[in-house]
Amino acid sequence: MNGHEPLVAPGFGDVADAFLRTIADDGRSGAAMSVWIDGAPVIDLWGGMADVRTGRPFTFDTLSVAWSCTKGMASVLIAMLVERGMMPPYGTPVIKLWPEFGAHGKDQVTIGDALAHRGGLSAPLRDLTLEEAIYPLRMADVLAAQAPLWPPNEHHQYHAVTHGALTAKLVTLATGRSIGRCLDDLLAKPLDADIWLGLPESEEPRVTHMVEMETLSAPPEGDPETLRWLDRALTLGGAITLDNFNEPRFHQAEFAGVSGIATANGLAKMWSATVAPTNGVRLINDETVDALRETRSKGPGYFPQPPPYQSWGAGVMVPSEWQWYLSPSSFGHDGAGGQVAFADVDAKVGFAYLTNRMGDWDRGKSVIKALSRALG
């Protein structure tokens, strides 16, 4: 336990029970959850297996791949930079920071548009190499040079992987530092939070091993052209597979859309600090929170899929039929591995649920529903 004991504050027993029910009883996987209210932890729980190969169990200090919860981390960091005047406001055209981005009619795309999946770059036009895929600035240069897949700002489509290349490039151009270094200096260290974009090699023994890894591909049925672009959005033309996410080189890369690494406590602490002073730190003020969570994209995407549909602010997911969170004032992000992390303005909540068993978003949703009932 490394000196940490499970925490369940009075009144949250049903939430703890809901969490424990999400852990499969086959001994192959596990999960961790952390909930903060008004800047203090009320739940810290973990259970199950972190690495079935070695028999290593989940603990308070277990690190997990955050998958697309990483987009929430990057988007909060950018909100901090905007608030501090280190990055131009969301309404600024991307070309003010990144002139090359304007190629092929993308010159009117704003920073907010790019964060809200409106820039037409959800997938590369050509197959990327693995080196281009895991080094986001290389991927960003490829995306900047290509034509958009749809007229920018007329539609949106989830940028499953390429979003991280865009955020990494914007942060580097604005600050002169890599996105991982910036996250560490401005966010993780001040909060004393175990979250990384670019994991130090020394921390690798703490990382979970993902299980139930199916093929990374688009759904098997539907319009062939739509499926082709959905598949390219996930694999970048075959450059990456799900197995890569169990590899140390992926954990150590600043793969800003999908390869963030965190403990549940560290990630929940970050979200807590967006809505309440946490460890003496408030990351962004109320006005910035409102700008971050203002809905910019919603409904069906350019490559249509069946509902439910997601909604986005400036890089964060906001309540929708896909994920309601706690209330209309919630904002955060979920991940392909079944993870979910968010904040709620009204309840002053920071929440994170991390697991190493792929898929099944209903696990996290079931815990959020129990938390909603506990909060009344």
Side-chain angles (χ1 to χ4, degrees):
M1 298 284 183
N2 295 304
H4 292 279
E5 297 294 332
L7 168 67
V8 181
F12 293 95
D14 288 346
V15 185
D17 291 342
F19 165 73
L20 293 173
R21 286 193 293 269
T22 71
I23 300 173
D25 59 7
D26 61 5
R28 300 182 63 243
S29 63
M33 179 183 69
S34 184
V35 181
W36 293 58
I37 298 178
D38 287 323
V42 296
I43 301 176
D44 268 312
L45 287 175
W46 51 89
M49 194 64 62
D51 191 337
V52 68
R53 302 169 304 173
T54 63
R56 175 167 55 92
F58 256 86
T59 71
F60 176 88
D61 294 312
T62 297
L63 293 168
S64 298
V65 178
W67 294 81
S68 283
C69 293
T70 309
K71 294 180 179 71
M73 295 160 55
S75 298
V76 169
L77 175 63
I78 288 177
M80 294 174 65
L81 297 177
V82 170
E83 179 177 308
R84 298 179 185 194
M86 299 170 69
M87 184 179 289
Y90 292 127
T92 306
V94 170
I95 59 171
K96 295 295 184 182
L97 271 178
W98 186 5
E100 296 84 357
F101 183 88
H104 302 288
K106 302 193 296 295
D107 53 295
Q108 296 303 308
V109 175
T110 67
I111 292 171
D113 296 329
L115 293 172
H117 306 276
R118 305 187 66 81
L121 299 172
S122 60
L125 290 173
R126 68 166 175 83
D127 295 351
L128 298 190
T129 66
L130 182 59
E131 288 69 28
E132 288 170 326
I134 65 174
Y135 293 104
L137 300 187
R138 296 183 190 177
M139 193 197 315
D141 290 341
V142 172
L143 296 172
Q146 79 174 41
L149 302 182
W150 61 85
N153 299 329
E154 292 187 13
H155 306 278
H156 75 276
Q157 178 67 41
Y158 184 48
H159 290 45
V161 178
T162 57
H163 193 273
L166 303 179
T167 55
K169 185 73 171 186
L170 289 170
V171 169
T172 298
L173 290 171
T175 67
R177 288 178 281 182
S178 74
I179 191 168
R181 175 67 182 276
C182 218
L183 184 91
D184 195 46
D185 289 346
L186 300 183
L187 198 158
K189 285 180 178 175
L191 277 175
D192 190 25
D194 269 356
I195 53 176
W196 280 277
L197 264 174
L199 185 72
E201 186 176 359
S202 61
E203 303 293 340
E204 181 64 31
R206 297 167 56 194
V207 180
T208 61
H209 182 78
M210 298 295 299
V211 300
E212 302 300 327
M213 305 281 275
E214 303 296 336
T215 301
L216 186 63
S217 63
E221 297 180 357
D223 172 66
E225 186 69 3
T226 291
L227 295 180
R228 183 170 81 91
W229 286 111
L230 292 176
D231 186 80
R232 293 187 68 81
L234 293 168
T235 70
L236 307 177
I240 59 174
T241 69
L242 282 175
D243 288 339
N244 292 136
F245 289 86
N246 273 327
E247 298 174 1
R249 62 178 170 173
F250 263 57
H251 304 159
Q252 293 162 22
E254 297 183 18
F255 204 6
V258 290
S259 75
I261 304 284
T263 63
N265 177 274
L267 191 55
K269 188 188 298 187
M270 182 206 81
W271 284 109
S272 173
T274 65
V275 293
T278 303
N279 280 16
V281 176
R282 178 77 191 269
L283 294 177
I284 51 179
N285 63 31
D286 291 346
E287 183 179 355
T288 301
V289 167
D290 289 343
L292 174 61
R293 65 186 185 89
E294 178 185 355
T295 302
R296 297 169 181 268
S297 297
K298 63 180 181 179
Y302 182 69
F303 299 111
Q305 295 176 271
Y309 301 117
Q310 300 156 321
S311 298
W312 286 278
V316 294
M317 294 178 71
V318 294
S320 67
E321 292 183 357
W322 173 268
Q323 173 61 267
W324 288 114
Y325 298 114
L326 278 181
S327 81
S329 75
S330 296
F331 59 103
H333 218 289
D334 62 16
Q339 304 80 10
V340 59
F342 68 94
D344 187 88
V345 174
D346 293 342
K348 297 293 185 286
V349 161
F351 175 100
Y353 172 87
L354 297 177
T355 176
N356 61 335
R357 194 181 195 98
M358 283 292 293
D360 187 7
W361 287 280
D362 286 340
R363 290 173 294 172
K365 290 178 181 178
S366 70
V367 179
I368 295 170
K369 288 178 181 178
L371 176 61
S372 179
R373 292 191 294 269
L375 293 173

